[in-house]
Amino acid sequence: MLTGFEGFFEHSQEDASTILSAATQWVRENKENRFFLYIHLLDTHTPYRPDPVMMERFCEEPPTGYSEQMTYSLLHGHLKGELEDTTKLDEFVEHYSNLYDAEIATLDAKLSTFFANLSAMGLDDRTVIAITSDHGEACGDHGLILKGCRFYEGLIRVPLMISWPGGPRGEVVSHPVEHIDLGRTLLDMSGFQADDFPGRSLLGAIDGSAPAEPRFSISANGKCAAVIHEGWQLTLNLRMH
């Protein structure tokens, strides 16, 4: 039972087109009422299957012998001696990264269509929209190919875009913020300032009134920790020797 939601739709395939189509129809049926809609898209997870047009734009033909699993295994030393020319690993990682870019571009195009549909329904001037991600991909950095349980820049620096009626357009906040504050921010923007909810509004980060405090992080398994302060990041990675 998923508490807090009146309806739930799940598609067995990681396909944004199907999910966004269902979301568009749901909004069309509920646009006259106040609503909260959460959409979780998994297209930018492996295995990457970008649109052919984006494939042509971002990717050349894969190197001979390439596969996502082969690349992952080589980076982690699981296939030593099984690839005659191990220098091809760089080519494998580059192709993997290009696939990732193509997949992101594919999802961007699908989201663009979805938001155009919302605009056509007249929701621009009364809807708060937030786009974010839970993590990035290493794409070969630090010997990692997937997300891993680390606090490296490529994994933890994710986009957060918020649009709301009367809000600024094109403004960029350069210092990091935390996901725990997103829910509180959306409530404030929607007129629920009095409701008790964890976090603090990110509106202070936009107008510059939020203090620049050190930020501390620790991974779920306790093997990684980080401190971020005044543009510097200290990361500690623990492993068995």
Side-chain angles (χ1 to χ4, degrees), residues 37 55 74 83 88 102 104 168 171:
L37 174 64
M55 276 284 290
L74 281 168
L83 189 67
K88 295 193 70 172
I104 291 174
E171 185 164 341

Side-chain angles (χ1 to χ4, degrees), residues 36 179-188 192-201:
F36 172 74
H179 272 147
I180 195 173
D181 296 329
L182 180 56
R184 176 71 270 166
T185 305
L186 296 179
L187 285 172
D188 286 357
F192 295 97
Q193 291 90 342
D195 288 53
D196 185 27
F197 200 82
R200 60 187 180 186
S201 176

